[in-house]
Amino acid sequence: TPENTETLIEAPAGSPINVDGNGATITTNGIGTAAGSSYDYGYVGFIPAKGEDATVSDLKVVGSGFVEVGHHGQGGGNYTINKLVVENLVATLNINNGGNNIAAAFSHYGNATMTDCVMTGTTTLKDGFKPYDAAFVNGTKTTIIGGKYGVIYLANQAHVTIGEGAEIDTIDSYAITTRNLGKLTVGEGAKIGTINLYDTGSYKPALVIEDGAEVGAIIYNGVTYTAAEWMA
């Protein structure tokens, strides 16, 4: 795409989104220098009407930008995301989320099932912001089946279930237990390198590790635990 072009596929009111990329690659070219004043993020967005469903399959996005299914304030639908590859993206959308400076390559804004996706190698040009291959935001629910991820982020009120065949190097989770607002579940057949858990004020982290899950290390308040030690 030309520099600072938004690639947005939007549906009219009452309509879902259904996109099959047929293996195509989008090279987006955002620079992200004038936040809030111009469309310079290089968005690649698949945006159904609020509360409507979306299916996105067999597509690769590279370059510099941000990939979204749904849209902030316009989500809430059920999203099926299959074989979406976001590789070595330079993240242009740099935000403060609950006191954390993050730069995510991918986010969604509904209830998503993500199957056999690959999201790795994200970087950012903005100092002081941590790059994430995917960030799961407040009010969303996500099931990850298969695929490979580098580093992912869970906001306070995100629900994420890691399922069979999924491989994730690092998870930074701020999900909280209070009123079941947030939760990280590592299910049977998932393989996780490191889970970093963080308290949010007086709230405790919400983590469940099921039988058959493989977790290398859990780090909480400067102490490293095995999965067995944590669950005990």
Side-chain angles (χ1 to χ4, degrees):
T1 64
E3 188 175 87
N4 299 335
T5 297
E6 309 295 288
T7 306
L8 304 179
I9 298 175
E10 299 184 77
S15 298
I17 287 283
N18 191 340
V19 175
D20 184 345
N22 291 303
T25 297
I26 297 173
T27 302
T28 189
N29 188 14
I31 58 174
T33 57
S37 62
S38 65
Y39 291 99
D40 63 355
Y41 296 113
Y43 269 50
V44 177
F46 306 93
I47 309 171
K50 185 173 182 178
E52 295 293 333
D53 297 344
T55 300
V56 179
S57 303
D58 201 13
L59 182 69
K60 183 176 183 178
V61 182
V62 299
S64 57
F66 174 70
V67 182
E68 63 175 3
V69 180
H71 189 66
H72 180 69
Q74 195 175 316
N78 295 314
Y79 304 150
T80 301
I81 305 169
N82 301 317
K83 296 182 180 178
L84 174 62
V85 177
V86 183
E87 194 170 60
N88 299 328
L89 197 76
V90 180
T92 56
L93 184 63
N94 306 286
I95 65 169
N96 182 281
N97 181 261
N100 304 310
N101 289 333
I102 70 172
F106 169 86
S107 286
H108 75 82
Y109 301 92
N111 304 316
T113 299
M114 302 176 63
T115 304
D116 294 334
C117 297
V118 176
M119 299 184 182
T120 59
T122 300
T123 58
T124 178
L125 296 179
K126 192 168 181 66
D127 292 338
F129 287 77
K130 183 172 180 177
Y132 287 98
D133 298 299
F136 301 106
V137 301
N138 287 338
T140 61
K141 294 183 178 179
T142 309
T143 299
I144 296 174
I145 302 168
K148 184 172 178 57
Y149 301 76
V151 186
I152 69 173
Y153 172 91
L154 273 68
N156 302 158
Q157 299 179 30
H159 280 242
V160 176
T161 299
I162 315 297
E164 178 73 33
E167 297 184 16
I168 302 174
D169 293 336
T170 304
I171 300 174
D172 286 355
S173 178
Y174 292 81
I176 61 175
T177 57
T178 302
R179 300 194 306 278
N180 197 36
L181 289 172
K183 191 173 186 180
L184 171 60
T185 302
V186 183
E188 180 181 3
K191 183 177 181 180
I192 314 297
T194 301
I195 300 175
N196 295 306
L197 296 175
Y198 299 93
D199 284 337
T200 303
S202 61
Y203 301 115
K204 299 301 182 182
L207 171 63
V208 173
I209 300 173
E210 297 180 346
D211 290 342
E214 182 179 336
V215 178
I218 299 164
I219 302 174
Y220 176 58
N221 284 340
V223 180
T224 300
Y225 302 85
T226 65
E229 289 170 339
W230 178 263
M231 295 310 293

